[in-house]
Amino acid sequence: MSYSLVKPLCDTALLGRVLPFKVCRRKMPGYNMSYRVLRPRWMKCFPVLSSSFRSLSTQPAKDGVDLSKFPVDKIRNFCIIAHIDHGKSTLADRMLEMTGAIAKTEKNKQVLDKLQVERERGITVKAQTASLFYSHDRQEYLLNLIDTPGHVDFSYEVSRSLSACQGVLLIIDANQGIQAQTVANFYLAFEAQLTIIPVINKIDLKNADPERVESQIEKVFDIPREECIRISAKLGTNVETVLQAVVERIPPPAGSIDDPFKALVFDSNFDHYRGVVANIAVFGGRVKKGDKIVSAYLCKTYEVNELGLLRPEEHPTQKLFAGQVGYIVAGMKDVKEAQIGDTLYHQEQPVEALPGFKPAKAMVFAGMYPTDQSEYPTLRSAIERLTLNDSSVTVQRDSSLALGAGWRLGFLGLLHMEVFNQRLEQEYNASVIVTVPTVPYKAVLSSAKLIKEHGSEELTIVNPAQFPDRSVVSEYLEPMVLGTILAPETHTGKIMSLCLSRRAVQKNMVYVDDQRVMMKYLFPLNEIVVDFYDLLKSLSSGYASFDYENAGYQTADLIKMDILLNGRPVEELTTIVHRDRAYSTGKAMCERLKESIPRQMFEIAVQAAIGSKVIARETIKAYRKNVLAKCYGGDITRKMKLLKKQADGKKKMRRIGNIEVPKDAFISILKRKEK
Amino acid sequence: MLKYIFREVSRGFSPGLRRFSDVKVTENVAESPTFPHLIEQASLYLHWPYCLRRCTYCNFNKYIPKEDNEDIMAKCLQRETETLLQLSQVSCITSVFFGGGTPSLAHPSTIAKILETVSNQVYLSDEAEVTLEVNPTPVGMSKLKDFHFAGVNRFSIGVQSLQDEHLKSLGRDHSSLEALQTLEEARRLCPGGVSVDIMFGRPEQTIESWSNELSEMLRVCDDHVSLYQLTLERGTQLFKQVHCGQVTMPTEEMTAEMYRCARKTLQQHGFQQYEVSNFAKNNSQSRHNLSYWKGKQYIGVGPGAHGRFVPLGEGGATREARTQTLEPDVWIREVQQRGHGTRRRIQLGHLELLEEVLVMGMRMTKGINHKHWELFNPELGLHEIFGASPVVQELLQNGQLILDDRGLRCSWDGLAVLDSILPILLLELDKQSFPKAAS
């Protein structure tokens, strides 16, 4: 089972890549090391790419790994967390190469970041997991690298991944230093009481300043600078030290093979032939093919059809033991049956569910409509296919008088939504109108009768049409987030006024070093869902970083604002706004409507109103003259075409009273603006 | 040169002429599916494609001649006239209109030859209206007499403006004085048969200057005025000038006011508006253009000319929309080779024909009377098509549209927003003609 290092490297025939590695080996003559090759490639089940990477396979999978050889004290479970683009994927690639899990090729460069949004933001959306075999001090270890999504939109997933780990590698760019997401990730790991190994990456860069970063780490995270490991994941420098630190500093998982079987689901995927493939961390006992297992959340029983290691591709084994991480196929038909955070146990030996499980909760909602109603079925199947792999997206059928039949989708956060949209566009080539995102508000009902009717005191409002009247409500609540902004000190003034204009309250402000400031603000989520991130980036010339975590609900003075055309409300434009923002929002909507509704034969008043009180108004003047004075040379063809096009257009217009409103007018108001 | 073809002049008409232009005489005949009489006669449009220079606002089909090819052009116009008259099998031409381009650049003998060709082949009454567009230059003026002698009995004079600086900036090749002189000469030759074209919505024009100019025009003009709003067309020099900010156009509000004020002024001076852009007194409406608006057949001859007729000569039974080849040299070659330069023929379906009848008819202040409509659509009357529609009812109640015993027409205010009304009417026509498809 043991392979020499040389073989897979020769297989790749990329000598240029071999050299730095050899140098790196020679630097550490003191260690007696050997590597085992188990992973032919670093690949998961992104449908788009699977075929192109299959060909990179260099090593036939070897069966018969005796996993019982790895008791818990020979197992380390860890993940890598980092801010965008600080080198998480590169380090993962390198560790996989060094332990022989994947062949060493140029193409390994962040092969996972396939979506445009992933590349743009340098994040990995779907968690990836790989088991590595690593020898240290003549002992063979099973290192489970549980990759996590790189953004706190997925903080629940991150927290579930973290709960399968005992330690994390916290990567920080030697040039950029601590960023917003570094802080958010650190606290997630810290709260989970994991061992944190700070890794300063990109020390090969010209502007690298590892000393400065080390003092930031000391100051912000209270970790002694001596614990930092300086590496260059790109060149492989000191990656070996990282692997050693994983073995030496991170404690082995708790749990024993003698306990009843208990496993955490920390990710799931859908396979068209086998159904749901769940990634699990075994917390206790053992599981084998044919076992009858139960999902604690749904209390449904399944039979294990297949199980094995992820290296990172599936590698079937006979059993999985306490402390180990792998995948399981058990006849689940829907990813909703394998919810992240759920507990699995043996039918005969029920156990208490692992703490911290929450069903996915959508925090940002957006309407999606096909640009052309004839594309409805195509879009429906695209959405179905995408949600097969992502149980956290909630899908609700919706229809708008202006935009036709569509859906109201709920996402974990903004990035999650953006990723979903891009995959829809890129992978399924679907042309979609995405509406401005909204957040779920709540109303606390005051009347006992209503409470009884709704079955609870609190009512969640996703659609403005359901907004209950002030008279039956004791208070309204809006979702809040705690935002972390890191930026060069020179931009703080502008950033503070931006935050202030977004109803944010400053919680603290710390200089992480003499140039960079970390600010924490409590934001209403609604204030950051549309364009906050883009504004922040542009006013700091791209230097500010932003991240947020959910911070519950808070009382808010919410009102329902109607848009009226000649006094008649336009149902699809009704909006829930904070009282302080009503005027500016209403005015902006009126202005945009004025621009997009063509003049008609009569005057049109475009108004924003709260109840019966009009707060903003624009007027579209009546046409006084609209007639072509001349028809050239008997050529009425052109004129006829134009008139008939207008007549056809009328069929598609929405009539509000006697006013014809083109679909484009709604789109221009409802649609999320392109960046 | 700017070309308008829906335009007309006039003069007293003898009863003989009326016979050919009045609907009443002909209403019991029809082309299939309409009445046969419609296919027995047509009006004739001839296009002279050349101009001496390019006006800054014009995007019409015109060419600056490279050489003197008048002989060839004359022969080809005659030849195509022959061919198309033959094809249409009409027995009578009710009116002739020479447009362009600048047809007053043509030699009067060319005009004479063409009219002769027509008379040789079909009945062309001596009283039939024969209009020529004239550019009011000294050369143009000097030829009026000969044109008149050749058979032209109506002149349409492209005065455009009486302000010299405006004429210059529009790229016109005449002065206001020359225009006045030409007008005088034309009136002398064809009293009551002269029309003037004037243009509003010109760059830098104000409501006041327009109103003064119009009053001045009314002092010198004959019995017919055509009023056009300058429209900014892509690809023209003016379009570029406006886009680089060298020139400002009046706002929509201003042009609307100019139109309103012109209509009022003309009315006060005894001119009756009979179409969106046309005003006449003493019964001097353009017979030629009225026949377009009434949905009658017309034959278009010359580069880029359009026609609407049934090609009976080759066994056709439905009206066709026909377009001649645009580029003069190519058109000439085609006419020489096969007798005509028809580039495009599209058969008009019944609904399409009705749509044209509706769109054209509604331009007239009298609109479409029931008999006129019945001529084209005996199955379904105006009341049945439009009467029940709530959107049309709205227009009737708002006073923009009138539907009564006489027929369907715009009100004074409605006519100014006709292009907003027409799509509504077209949609109703569609629904009633294809009730299943539209529901």
PDB file of all heavy atoms in Angstrom, chain B residues 317-340:
ATOM      1  N   ALA B 317     -54.982  38.501 -57.676  1.00  0.00           N
ATOM      2  CA  ALA B 317     -56.328  38.807 -57.190  1.00  0.00           C
ATOM      3  C   ALA B 317     -56.299  39.626 -55.916  1.00  0.00           C
ATOM      4  O   ALA B 317     -57.309  40.185 -55.506  1.00  0.00           O
ATOM      5  CB  ALA B 317     -57.094  37.514 -56.948  1.00  0.00           C
ATOM      6  N   THR B 318     -55.141  39.714 -55.274  1.00  0.00           N
ATOM      7  CA  THR B 318     -55.073  40.503 -54.043  1.00  0.00           C
ATOM      8  C   THR B 318     -54.138  41.681 -54.225  1.00  0.00           C
ATOM      9  O   THR B 318     -53.210  41.653 -55.040  1.00  0.00           O
ATOM     10  CB  THR B 318     -54.535  39.664 -52.865  1.00  0.00           C
ATOM     11  OG1 THR B 318     -53.425  38.920 -53.319  1.00  0.00           O
ATOM     12  CG2 THR B 318     -55.590  38.745 -52.301  1.00  0.00           C
ATOM     13  N   ARG B 319     -54.390  42.689 -53.420  1.00  0.00           N
ATOM     14  CA  ARG B 319     -53.571  43.892 -53.488  1.00  0.00           C
ATOM     15  C   ARG B 319     -52.163  43.584 -52.991  1.00  0.00           C
ATOM     16  O   ARG B 319     -51.975  42.808 -52.058  1.00  0.00           O
ATOM     17  CB  ARG B 319     -54.201  44.996 -52.644  1.00  0.00           C
ATOM     18  CG  ARG B 319     -53.539  46.342 -52.836  1.00  0.00           C
ATOM     19  CD  ARG B 319     -54.119  47.378 -51.947  1.00  0.00           C
ATOM     20  NE  ARG B 319     -55.419  47.886 -52.419  1.00  0.00           N
ATOM     21  CZ  ARG B 319     -55.920  49.061 -52.045  1.00  0.00           C
ATOM     22  NH1 ARG B 319     -55.242  49.828 -51.222  1.00  0.00           N
ATOM     23  NH2 ARG B 319     -57.093  49.452 -52.486  1.00  0.00           N
ATOM     24  N   GLU B 320     -51.192  44.204 -53.620  1.00  0.00           N
ATOM     25  CA  GLU B 320     -49.815  43.996 -53.200  1.00  0.00           C
ATOM     26  C   GLU B 320     -49.200  45.302 -52.740  1.00  0.00           C
ATOM     27  O   GLU B 320     -49.521  46.372 -53.273  1.00  0.00           O
ATOM     28  CB  GLU B 320     -48.973  43.444 -54.367  1.00  0.00           C
ATOM     29  CG  GLU B 320     -49.293  41.998 -54.690  1.00  0.00           C
ATOM     30  CD  GLU B 320     -48.403  41.456 -55.802  1.00  0.00           C
ATOM     31  OE1 GLU B 320     -47.533  42.210 -56.303  1.00  0.00           O
ATOM     32  OE2 GLU B 320     -48.591  40.276 -56.166  1.00  0.00           O
ATOM     33  N   ALA B 321     -48.305  45.200 -51.755  1.00  0.00           N
ATOM     34  CA  ALA B 321     -47.466  46.336 -51.383  1.00  0.00           C
ATOM     35  C   ALA B 321     -46.192  46.161 -52.198  1.00  0.00           C
ATOM     36  O   ALA B 321     -45.513  45.152 -52.078  1.00  0.00           O
ATOM     37  CB  ALA B 321     -47.161  46.309 -49.892  1.00  0.00           C
ATOM     38  N   ARG B 322     -45.914  47.122 -53.061  1.00  0.00           N
ATOM     39  CA  ARG B 322     -44.780  46.952 -53.982  1.00  0.00           C
ATOM     40  C   ARG B 322     -43.769  48.068 -53.796  1.00  0.00           C
ATOM     41  O   ARG B 322     -44.112  49.224 -53.604  1.00  0.00           O
ATOM     42  CB  ARG B 322     -45.286  46.940 -55.423  1.00  0.00           C
ATOM     43  CG  ARG B 322     -46.316  45.829 -55.683  1.00  0.00           C
ATOM     44  CD  ARG B 322     -46.969  46.000 -57.030  1.00  0.00           C
ATOM     45  NE  ARG B 322     -46.010  45.842 -58.108  1.00  0.00           N
ATOM     46  CZ  ARG B 322     -45.850  44.707 -58.794  1.00  0.00           C
ATOM     47  NH1 ARG B 322     -46.579  43.657 -58.513  1.00  0.00           N
ATOM     48  NH2 ARG B 322     -44.950  44.625 -59.756  1.00  0.00           N
ATOM     49  N   THR B 323     -42.508  47.720 -53.851  1.00  0.00           N
ATOM     50  CA  THR B 323     -41.439  48.696 -53.707  1.00  0.00           C
ATOM     51  C   THR B 323     -40.482  48.557 -54.877  1.00  0.00           C
ATOM     52  O   THR B 323     -40.083  47.445 -55.213  1.00  0.00           O
ATOM     53  CB  THR B 323     -40.649  48.462 -52.403  1.00  0.00           C
ATOM     54  OG1 THR B 323     -41.571  48.242 -51.349  1.00  0.00           O
ATOM     55  CG2 THR B 323     -39.774  49.649 -52.061  1.00  0.00           C
ATOM     56  N   GLN B 324     -40.139  49.694 -55.463  1.00  0.00           N
ATOM     57  CA  GLN B 324     -39.183  49.676 -56.568  1.00  0.00           C
ATOM     58  C   GLN B 324     -37.759  49.769 -56.006  1.00  0.00           C
ATOM     59  O   GLN B 324     -37.533  50.270 -54.900  1.00  0.00           O
ATOM     60  CB  GLN B 324     -39.444  50.847 -57.519  1.00  0.00           C
ATOM     61  CG  GLN B 324     -40.890  50.987 -57.996  1.00  0.00           C
ATOM     62  CD  GLN B 324     -41.465  49.696 -58.533  1.00  0.00           C
ATOM     63  OE1 GLN B 324     -42.293  49.053 -57.891  1.00  0.00           O
ATOM     64  NE2 GLN B 324     -40.991  49.282 -59.716  1.00  0.00           N
ATOM     65  N   THR B 325     -36.824  49.298 -56.811  1.00  0.00           N
ATOM     66  CA  THR B 325     -35.413  49.335 -56.432  1.00  0.00           C
ATOM     67  C   THR B 325     -34.974  50.767 -56.094  1.00  0.00           C
ATOM     68  O   THR B 325     -35.313  51.721 -56.794  1.00  0.00           O
ATOM     69  CB  THR B 325     -34.554  48.779 -57.580  1.00  0.00           C
ATOM     70  OG1 THR B 325     -34.898  47.412 -57.712  1.00  0.00           O
ATOM     71  CG2 THR B 325     -33.070  48.915 -57.299  1.00  0.00           C
ATOM     72  N   LEU B 326     -34.226  50.886 -55.022  1.00  0.00           N
ATOM     73  CA  LEU B 326     -33.907  52.182 -54.446  1.00  0.00           C
ATOM     74  C   LEU B 326     -32.877  52.969 -55.259  1.00  0.00           C
ATOM     75  O   LEU B 326     -33.036  54.155 -55.518  1.00  0.00           O
ATOM     76  CB  LEU B 326     -33.364  51.924 -53.037  1.00  0.00           C
ATOM     77  CG  LEU B 326     -33.678  52.934 -51.966  1.00  0.00           C
ATOM     78  CD1 LEU B 326     -35.173  53.122 -51.828  1.00  0.00           C
ATOM     79  CD2 LEU B 326     -33.079  52.449 -50.639  1.00  0.00           C
ATOM     80  N   GLU B 327     -31.794  52.306 -55.596  1.00  0.00           N
ATOM     81  CA  GLU B 327     -30.628  52.984 -56.138  1.00  0.00           C
ATOM     82  C   GLU B 327     -30.847  53.264 -57.639  1.00  0.00           C
ATOM     83  O   GLU B 327     -31.101  52.340 -58.411  1.00  0.00           O
ATOM     84  CB  GLU B 327     -29.415  52.074 -55.903  1.00  0.00           C
ATOM     85  CG  GLU B 327     -28.124  52.794 -55.634  1.00  0.00           C
ATOM     86  CD  GLU B 327     -27.449  53.188 -56.923  1.00  0.00           C
ATOM     87  OE1 GLU B 327     -27.412  52.336 -57.822  1.00  0.00           O
ATOM     88  OE2 GLU B 327     -26.996  54.349 -57.026  1.00  0.00           O
ATOM     89  N   PRO B 328     -30.775  54.544 -58.063  1.00  0.00           N
ATOM     90  CA  PRO B 328     -31.156  54.881 -59.439  1.00  0.00           C
ATOM     91  C   PRO B 328     -30.436  54.082 -60.522  1.00  0.00           C
ATOM     92  O   PRO B 328     -31.069  53.622 -61.456  1.00  0.00           O
ATOM     93  CB  PRO B 328     -30.818  56.373 -59.551  1.00  0.00           C
ATOM     94  CG  PRO B 328     -30.837  56.874 -58.155  1.00  0.00           C
ATOM     95  CD  PRO B 328     -30.416  55.731 -57.289  1.00  0.00           C
ATOM     96  N   ASP B 329     -29.110  53.904 -60.378  1.00  0.00           N
ATOM     97  CA  ASP B 329     -28.371  53.218 -61.440  1.00  0.00           C
ATOM     98  C   ASP B 329     -28.842  51.777 -61.598  1.00  0.00           C
ATOM     99  O   ASP B 329     -28.981  51.266 -62.706  1.00  0.00           O
ATOM    100  CB  ASP B 329     -26.858  53.255 -61.158  1.00  0.00           C
ATOM    101  CG  ASP B 329     -26.320  54.675 -61.243  1.00  0.00           C
ATOM    102  OD1 ASP B 329     -27.052  55.539 -61.795  1.00  0.00           O
ATOM    103  OD2 ASP B 329     -25.207  54.929 -60.750  1.00  0.00           O
ATOM    104  N   VAL B 330     -29.075  51.147 -60.452  1.00  0.00           N
ATOM    105  CA  VAL B 330     -29.526  49.752 -60.478  1.00  0.00           C
ATOM    106  C   VAL B 330     -30.937  49.678 -61.044  1.00  0.00           C
ATOM    107  O   VAL B 330     -31.256  48.832 -61.874  1.00  0.00           O
ATOM    108  CB  VAL B 330     -29.488  49.147 -59.058  1.00  0.00           C
ATOM    109  CG1 VAL B 330     -29.905  47.681 -59.099  1.00  0.00           C
ATOM    110  CG2 VAL B 330     -28.115  49.317 -58.435  1.00  0.00           C
ATOM    111  N   TRP B 331     -31.749  50.646 -60.581  1.00  0.00           N
ATOM    112  CA  TRP B 331     -33.139  50.688 -61.065  1.00  0.00           C
ATOM    113  C   TRP B 331     -33.174  50.842 -62.585  1.00  0.00           C
ATOM    114  O   TRP B 331     -33.905  50.149 -63.283  1.00  0.00           O
ATOM    115  CB  TRP B 331     -33.881  51.837 -60.367  1.00  0.00           C
ATOM    116  CG  TRP B 331     -35.271  52.082 -60.878  1.00  0.00           C
ATOM    117  CD1 TRP B 331     -36.401  51.427 -60.518  1.00  0.00           C
ATOM    118  CD2 TRP B 331     -35.651  53.044 -61.874  1.00  0.00           C
ATOM    119  NE1 TRP B 331     -37.472  51.910 -61.209  1.00  0.00           N
ATOM    120  CE2 TRP B 331     -37.042  52.914 -62.046  1.00  0.00           C
ATOM    121  CE3 TRP B 331     -34.944  53.999 -62.624  1.00  0.00           C
ATOM    122  CZ2 TRP B 331     -37.758  53.704 -62.939  1.00  0.00           C
ATOM    123  CZ3 TRP B 331     -35.662  54.794 -63.513  1.00  0.00           C
ATOM    124  CH2 TRP B 331     -37.044  54.650 -63.671  1.00  0.00           C
ATOM    125  N   ILE B 332     -32.310  51.753 -63.092  1.00  0.00           N
ATOM    126  CA  ILE B 332     -32.253  51.993 -64.548  1.00  0.00           C
ATOM    127  C   ILE B 332     -31.928  50.698 -65.282  1.00  0.00           C
ATOM    128  O   ILE B 332     -32.588  50.323 -66.246  1.00  0.00           O
ATOM    129  CB  ILE B 332     -31.197  53.087 -64.876  1.00  0.00           C
ATOM    130  CG1 ILE B 332     -31.737  54.466 -64.468  1.00  0.00           C
ATOM    131  CG2 ILE B 332     -30.808  53.065 -66.358  1.00  0.00           C
ATOM    132  CD1 ILE B 332     -30.719  55.584 -64.544  1.00  0.00           C
ATOM    133  N   ARG B 333     -30.911  49.982 -64.768  1.00  0.00           N
ATOM    134  CA  ARG B 333     -30.503  48.735 -65.408  1.00  0.00           C
ATOM    135  C   ARG B 333     -31.677  47.742 -65.440  1.00  0.00           C
ATOM    136  O   ARG B 333     -31.940  47.097 -66.439  1.00  0.00           O
ATOM    137  CB  ARG B 333     -29.315  48.146 -64.660  1.00  0.00           C
ATOM    138  CG  ARG B 333     -28.425  47.335 -65.550  1.00  0.00           C
ATOM    139  CD  ARG B 333     -27.012  47.168 -65.001  1.00  0.00           C
ATOM    140  NE  ARG B 333     -27.014  46.725 -63.607  1.00  0.00           N
ATOM    141  CZ  ARG B 333     -26.372  47.374 -62.641  1.00  0.00           C
ATOM    142  NH1 ARG B 333     -25.709  48.474 -62.906  1.00  0.00           N
ATOM    143  NH2 ARG B 333     -26.406  46.917 -61.417  1.00  0.00           N
ATOM    144  N   GLU B 334     -32.364  47.655 -64.317  1.00  0.00           N
ATOM    145  CA  GLU B 334     -33.459  46.696 -64.238  1.00  0.00           C
ATOM    146  C   GLU B 334     -34.590  47.043 -65.199  1.00  0.00           C
ATOM    147  O   GLU B 334     -35.158  46.170 -65.849  1.00  0.00           O
ATOM    148  CB  GLU B 334     -33.989  46.605 -62.800  1.00  0.00           C
ATOM    149  CG  GLU B 334     -33.027  45.880 -61.879  1.00  0.00           C
ATOM    150  CD  GLU B 334     -33.438  45.951 -60.413  1.00  0.00           C
ATOM    151  OE1 GLU B 334     -34.494  46.559 -60.098  1.00  0.00           O
ATOM    152  OE2 GLU B 334     -32.691  45.401 -59.587  1.00  0.00           O
ATOM    153  N   VAL B 335     -34.898  48.348 -65.253  1.00  0.00           N
ATOM    154  CA  VAL B 335     -35.984  48.771 -66.148  1.00  0.00           C
ATOM    155  C   VAL B 335     -35.587  48.471 -67.594  1.00  0.00           C
ATOM    156  O   VAL B 335     -36.398  47.981 -68.383  1.00  0.00           O
ATOM    157  CB  VAL B 335     -36.316  50.260 -65.958  1.00  0.00           C
ATOM    158  CG1 VAL B 335     -37.349  50.716 -66.984  1.00  0.00           C
ATOM    159  CG2 VAL B 335     -36.827  50.526 -64.547  1.00  0.00           C
ATOM    160  N   GLN B 336     -34.298  48.737 -67.914  1.00  0.00           N
ATOM    161  CA  GLN B 336     -33.835  48.480 -69.279  1.00  0.00           C
ATOM    162  C   GLN B 336     -33.913  46.995 -69.615  1.00  0.00           C
ATOM    163  O   GLN B 336     -34.275  46.601 -70.718  1.00  0.00           O
ATOM    164  CB  GLN B 336     -32.405  48.982 -69.456  1.00  0.00           C
ATOM    165  CG  GLN B 336     -32.347  50.504 -69.583  1.00  0.00           C
ATOM    166  CD  GLN B 336     -30.940  51.053 -69.496  1.00  0.00           C
ATOM    167  OE1 GLN B 336     -30.038  50.376 -68.996  1.00  0.00           O
ATOM    168  NE2 GLN B 336     -30.747  52.276 -69.975  1.00  0.00           N
ATOM    169  N   GLN B 337     -33.587  46.152 -68.616  1.00  0.00           N
ATOM    170  CA  GLN B 337     -33.568  44.710 -68.866  1.00  0.00           C
ATOM    171  C   GLN B 337     -34.956  44.075 -68.875  1.00  0.00           C
ATOM    172  O   GLN B 337     -35.254  43.250 -69.711  1.00  0.00           O
ATOM    173  CB  GLN B 337     -32.699  44.015 -67.823  1.00  0.00           C
ATOM    174  CG  GLN B 337     -31.216  44.144 -68.133  1.00  0.00           C
ATOM    175  CD  GLN B 337     -30.354  43.802 -66.934  1.00  0.00           C
ATOM    176  OE1 GLN B 337     -30.859  43.331 -65.922  1.00  0.00           O
ATOM    177  NE2 GLN B 337     -29.067  44.043 -67.065  1.00  0.00           N
ATOM    178  N   ARG B 338     -35.799  44.457 -67.878  1.00  0.00           N
ATOM    179  CA  ARG B 338     -37.072  43.738 -67.815  1.00  0.00           C
ATOM    180  C   ARG B 338     -38.304  44.632 -67.713  1.00  0.00           C
ATOM    181  O   ARG B 338     -39.392  44.173 -67.360  1.00  0.00           O
ATOM    182  CB  ARG B 338     -37.063  42.714 -66.679  1.00  0.00           C
ATOM    183  CG  ARG B 338     -36.564  43.245 -65.353  1.00  0.00           C
ATOM    184  CD  ARG B 338     -36.399  42.130 -64.324  1.00  0.00           C
ATOM    185  NE  ARG B 338     -35.755  42.675 -63.140  1.00  0.00           N
ATOM    186  CZ  ARG B 338     -36.369  42.922 -61.998  1.00  0.00           C
ATOM    187  NH1 ARG B 338     -37.633  42.649 -61.865  1.00  0.00           N
ATOM    188  NH2 ARG B 338     -35.712  43.432 -60.979  1.00  0.00           N
ATOM    189  N   GLY B 339     -38.085  45.895 -67.984  1.00  0.00           N
ATOM    190  CA  GLY B 339     -39.254  46.767 -68.097  1.00  0.00           C
ATOM    191  C   GLY B 339     -39.726  47.381 -66.794  1.00  0.00           C
ATOM    192  O   GLY B 339     -40.549  48.285 -66.783  1.00  0.00           O
ATOM    193  N   HIS B 340     -39.208  46.903 -65.687  1.00  0.00           N
ATOM    194  CA  HIS B 340     -39.592  47.499 -64.403  1.00  0.00           C
ATOM    195  C   HIS B 340     -38.499  47.187 -63.371  1.00  0.00           C
ATOM    196  O   HIS B 340     -37.674  46.299 -63.571  1.00  0.00           O
ATOM    197  CB  HIS B 340     -40.924  46.940 -63.910  1.00  0.00           C
ATOM    198  CG  HIS B 340     -40.834  45.485 -63.542  1.00  0.00           C
ATOM    199  ND1 HIS B 340     -40.491  45.077 -62.281  1.00  0.00           N
ATOM    200  CD2 HIS B 340     -41.022  44.367 -64.295  1.00  0.00           C
ATOM    201  CE1 HIS B 340     -40.480  43.741 -62.274  1.00  0.00           C
ATOM    202  NE2 HIS B 340     -40.799  43.295 -63.479  1.00  0.00           N
TER     203      HIS B 340
END
